[in-house]
Amino acid sequence: MRIRIVDAFTDRPFSGNPAGVLLLGPDGFPEDDWLRNVALEVNHAETAFAHPLPEGGDADWALRWFTPASEVAMCGHATLATAHVLRTTGTHTGPVRFATHSGVLHATPQEDGTLTLDFPTAPLTPVGVPDGVAEALGAEPLTAFDTGPNTGDLLIEVADEKTVRGLAPDLGALARYSERGIIATARSTDPARGYDFVSRCFFPNIGIAEDPVTGSAHTALAPYWSERLGRPDLTGLQASARSGLVRTGLRGDRTLLTGSAVTVIEGELLV
């Protein structure tokens, strides 16, 4: 089997969010222990495993995602990476439908070479700022929202872009405040630079200290900032060390996530 490393939500290597992608045969997924071991060996935020489904159904491929520590219910960047591999290898042409734990997810190629994902919009529920979260994050929250079951995050707005970029949280302390982790966000200081809001994502509960670019987090960031900025179509910058841009389009209970991807490594899996 061929295994690939793809940088997602970027148009250049060594930036964006790397994901492993393994296309399996039509017989289905191997045992979960094998999937976990491959993901641990790849050792990126997520490794995607996909196999083709019979024609005529609701989806074209079945798709699952594993971190080095656990399986996750939804992953944007590894879905983008998988759609990129299917397109660039000629394995699948045109729009592709993935059957996942989060329902059927669509990926549509665009004329400019990008791919648009169609994901469920995260249901945002305002919550009180938990005691101790300001100290754990290293910044005072302005608002706090639960992002619902697909992501399981606590979305926190802080004062400004400079605060987001300067965060150095206590990851051990952060782990107690949500199922997956914390999304910290703020409005862009200068939208003329090509993005409307910034974010960083810390996911200690699934073994990821800081995720470079998180598609699934933007299913919560899109409705949050669209309401505040008064526009359905926005661009978010995830300001990690690798960084990446996600174009978001809020469409009611669905959120469109558009970005590029680059294959950086291709090899053979021998086990």
Side-chain angles (χ1 to χ4, degrees):
M1 288 178 288
R2 306 299 291 175
I3 189 167
R4 296 165 176 87
I5 305 298
V6 177
D7 289 344
F9 291 114
T10 182
D11 59 2
R12 54 193 173 87
F14 314 125
S15 59
N17 201 351
V21 177
L22 190 63
L23 301 183
L24 305 165
D27 293 337
F29 294 110
E31 295 293 328
D32 284 6
D33 284 347
W34 186 88
L35 299 174
R36 293 189 194 98
N37 283 331
V38 172
L40 181 60
E41 191 77 10
V42 172
N43 201 33
H44 282 311
E46 266 89 12
T47 297
F49 301 90
H51 71 79
L53 295 171
E55 294 184 5
D58 294 334
D60 307 300
W61 289 73
L63 178 62
R64 295 171 70 182
W65 314 276
F66 285 78
T67 77
S70 63
E71 185 172 11
V72 296
M74 186 167 70
C75 179
H77 86 277
T79 303
L80 184 70
T82 305
H84 168 80
V85 169
L86 290 172
R87 181 179 64 171
T88 56
T89 61
T91 307
H92 186 98
T93 58
V96 57
R97 302 165 300 168
F98 295 110
T100 78
H101 290 313
S102 297
V104 176
L105 307 177
H106 296 244
T108 303
Q110 305 298 325
E111 291 184 359
D112 63 359
T114 61
L115 287 156
T116 297
L117 308 179
D118 182 335
F119 272 41
T121 300
L124 299 181
T125 303
V127 296
V129 177
D131 291 340
V133 74
E135 292 76 14
L137 186 61
E140 192 65 37
L142 302 180
T143 59
F145 287 79
D146 180 89
T147 65
N150 283 337
T151 54
D153 297 323
L154 185 66
L155 172 65
I156 289 175
E157 183 183 354
V158 296
D160 50 32
E161 179 175 340
K162 181 180 179 181
T163 301
V164 172
R165 291 181 178 273
L167 292 173
D170 180 339
L171 295 172
L174 277 187
R176 69 175 67 107
Y177 295 109
S178 65
E179 181 180 346
R180 182 171 73 164
I182 302 290
I183 306 168
T185 188
R187 188 176 303 199
S188 170
T189 299
D190 181 10
R193 297 176 65 184
Y195 54 91
D196 301 289
F197 59 88
V198 296
S199 65
R200 289 174 67 191
C201 295
F202 307 99
F203 300 143
N205 288 334
I206 58 170
I208 301 170
E210 180 172 3
D211 200 34
V213 191
T214 314
S216 60
H218 284 76
T219 66
L221 291 162
Y224 185 83
W225 286 112
S226 287
E227 180 179 347
R228 281 151 184 78
L229 299 178
R231 289 183 286 124
D233 298 323
L234 302 170
T235 299
L237 172 72
Q238 196 154 328
S240 66
R242 291 177 63 102
S243 192
L245 291 170
V246 183
R247 297 189 344 238
T248 65
L250 186 62
R251 304 292 185 266
D253 64 354
R254 308 296 296 183
T255 293
L256 306 181
L257 309 171
T258 299
S260 300
V262 181
T263 301
V264 293
I265 295 174
E266 180 177 352
E268 186 176 357
L269 185 66
L270 301 176
V271 294

